Amino acid sequence: MMEHMGLQPKIKSTVRCLDGPIGEVSHVIADPLTLEVSHIVVKSNGTERQVPVETIRSADENTVELSCKSAQVPEFPAFVRADFLSSKEVEIPHLEDRIHAEPGEIFVPFPELERSCARRTFFTGFTTLMGVLIGFPFVWPVLQYVMKPMYAPFDNRWWKIGNTSKIKQEDIGVQFTFKKSFRDSVLQREEDKNNWVVKASPATLKQIYQHGDITFTDNVGNVVWVNRATVPYVAYSGKCPHLGCGYKWRSHKTRGQVFLCPCHLSIYDVAGTVLDGPAPRPLDVLPIKISPAGEIEVIDIEFKAGKREQVRIA
Ligand code: FES
């Protein structure tokens, strides 16, 4: 039995069983927690099977030797592309530093609700720790950011981000980008921002407004806007409530269309509800108003990431 830590299988290597060649390596699957290869995908006679690394007897530049017979390979689970995300679709810190699947992509299992809490908690803790270590040199700007509410009022300006004519269908996430100008401690600056807007169906609207109209307040608690449950357009902050990454609108094989955050694989439905992953709260709804001509304006509120409760910070 070979040592599997650090295995670097080559895509297109010949795969041999105890009784002769069976096919070739078509993909590599990694465990996103250990950052090690967990399976190779063996392509044989037009089918692809997930073969666990424990079955690998030896591997060199051109050949992977398995410790099973060729008749046993079809018994391994089939590789179904929709069950996985590739390293081009998700950013898992250090994954591609550890595994070189050349020439090709590394796959990780698409997260499912039934994953154990312990596993998820470990993953969250690990990635948070890595983020803190990597971000340490930038601690002063972060401190300034965190302390901003203590010395600056919240920014309640309305931003024109586009027109509802861009939204062709109900319950579909549509991204709007805009440039936001602001003044930091020294300079006037401009930042590229993005929000998501959904034209909500009655069912989605009911889910979003399950607690009634949504009220937004300034830094001293005065009401700056109320989103009414009768307005079908809903805007979400473009930042994932977990750690602030940008997320995308994607297809999921069982859940249909979802918002997917590539950083740690949080998944949200069209109403912003968390379906899977480490996100501690739903997507953050923003104040929105729609002109008679369909112009969309939002207040680009910033909320603290990583908190179960919504805490406004800008
Ligand atoms: S930032 Fe971690 S899941 Fe989005």
Side-chain angles (χ1 to χ4, degrees):
M1 179 72 62
M2 72 172 287
E3 175 57 63
H4 298 104
M5 298 277 287
L7 182 71
Q8 303 290 340
K10 293 266 184 206
I11 306 293
K12 295 200 179 301
S13 296
T14 300
V15 179
R16 295 180 59 85
C17 290
L18 294 172
D19 51 351
I22 180 75
E24 65 174 28
V25 177
S26 59
H27 304 292
V28 168
I29 300 172
D31 182 326
L33 298 180
T34 62
L35 305 183
E36 298 289 347
V37 175
S38 63
H39 296 74
I40 57 170
V41 178
V42 176
K43 188 171 185 181
S44 172
N45 296 326
T47 63
E48 291 183 303
R49 300 280 161 189
Q50 302 174 50
V51 177
V53 286
E54 292 75 20
T55 314
I56 297 176
R57 219 156 40 106
S58 65
D60 63 23
E61 281 287 295
N62 305 310
T63 311
V64 174
E65 302 272 357
L66 301 184
S67 59
C68 64
K69 294 196 167 170
S70 49
Q72 293 173 276
V73 171
E75 292 167 17
F76 290 113
F79 173 74
V80 180
R81 174 64 182 88
D83 290 350
F84 295 87
L85 289 163
S86 91
S87 52
K88 292 188 171 34
E89 296 170 314
V90 296
E91 294 162 26
I92 296 182
H94 309 297
L95 179 65
E96 290 184 295
D97 298 342
R98 295 282 297 271
I99 302 173
H100 308 288
E102 292 168 352
E105 304 157 67
I106 305 162
F107 285 92
V108 293
F110 209 115
E112 295 294 342
L113 272 177
E114 53 271 24
R115 284 190 170 187
S116 76
C117 277
R119 182 178 163 93
R120 192 175 297 153
T121 304
F122 172 81
F123 190 26
T124 305
F126 176 75
T127 50
T128 304
L129 177 64
M130 294 310 290
V132 168
L133 290 176
I134 292 165
F136 188 73
F138 306 103
V139 69
W140 176 236
V142 172
L143 271 177
Q144 280 186 309
Y145 177 70
V146 170
M147 291 166 65
K148 191 176 174 185
M150 298 178 194
Y151 59 83
F154 293 152
D155 183 354
N156 292 316
R157 288 174 294 171
W158 287 93
W159 298 93
K160 278 198 174 117
I161 61 170
N163 194 282
T164 53
S165 58
K166 185 175 172 184
I167 305 171
K168 307 291 183 206
Q169 235 182 300
E170 282 186 341
D171 289 350
I172 294 290
V174 180
Q175 191 172 34
F176 287 83
T177 57
F178 64 103
K179 290 207 182 291
K180 181 175 178 180
S181 61
F182 64 98
R183 188 175 180 81
D184 64 15
S185 44
V186 189
L187 297 170
Q188 187 70 28
R189 294 203 290 130
E190 205 172 57
E191 189 180 13
D192 290 321
K193 301 284 294 186
N194 84 89
N195 298 138
W196 291 84
V197 179
V198 167
K199 184 181 182 188
S201 65
T204 301
L205 213 53
K206 197 169 167 192
Q207 196 180 333
I208 294 168
Y209 287 100
Q210 56 187 292
H211 303 299
D213 294 342
I214 301 174
T215 300
F216 302 89
T217 54
D218 64 13
N219 52 317
V220 291
N222 294 326
V223 174
V224 292
W225 185 254
V226 179
N227 275 3
R228 302 285 177 200
T230 48
V231 176
Y233 292 95
V234 179
Y236 297 117
S237 163
K239 292 185 176 176
C240 173
H242 178 225
L243 292 177
C245 287
Y247 53 88
K248 302 201 165 48
W249 180 249
R250 297 292 309 271
S251 279
H252 183 281
K253 61 168 180 134
T254 55
R255 305 180 194 284
Q257 300 276 91
V258 294
F259 290 111
L260 167 69
C261 180
C263 288
H264 314 100
L265 309 183
S266 285
I267 299 175
Y268 310 84
D269 68 12
V270 70
T273 306
V274 180
L275 299 178
D276 200 0
R281 64 171 188 267
L283 292 177
D284 295 312
V285 172
L286 298 178
I288 188 170
K289 60 183 177 187
I290 311 288
S291 78
E295 293 300 325
I296 305 170
E297 288 183 74
V298 300
I299 299 179
D300 189 43
I301 289 179
E302 302 259 351
F303 297 98
K304 198 167 191 170
K307 292 275 176 201
R308 186 176 295 276
E309 70 282 10
Q310 210 182 37
V311 179
R312 183 173 179 181
I313 56 172

